[in-house]
Amino acid sequence: GEVENSSPYIITSVQVIAAFYDNLNQLLSVKFANTNPSNIPPGQIAFFDLTIPPGTIPVDSISQWTLRLVWQ
């Protein structure tokens, strides 16, 4: 995926947090990914790769997910 910094400030140590839920809204798993580059200047884009390794989450059970960003 990609993250665009729409603020007028550089954001640093950017991390993407993904939460995966089943059809009953039960949390199945949380995964983390860092952007590349980890510091994003104003108006720039950074990329991230968030994968689910085989056998870690019952992928067929995922009905929804959320993405959050944290940075300094």
Side-chain angles (χ1 to χ4, degrees):
E2 59 185 48
V3 175
E4 181 178 358
N5 180 2
S6 60
S7 80
Y9 309 102
I10 188 168
I11 55 176
T12 61
S13 304
V14 181
Q15 187 175 55
V16 180
I17 304 170
F20 300 92
Y21 300 88
D22 65 14
N23 61 351
L24 299 175
N25 265 350
Q26 298 295 313
L27 180 64
L28 297 172
S29 184
V30 176
K31 299 292 181 188
F32 302 88
N34 295 314
T35 61
N36 184 15
S38 61
N39 299 331
I40 312 172
Q44 298 298 306
I45 293 174
F47 299 94
F48 67 92
D49 184 23
L50 198 138
T51 58
I52 302 172
T56 60
I57 302 176
V59 178
D60 292 344
S61 299
I62 297 172
S63 65
Q64 60 182 329
W65 62 88
T66 61
L67 296 176
R68 286 187 47 212
L69 296 174
V70 293
W71 64 87
Q72 296 181 356

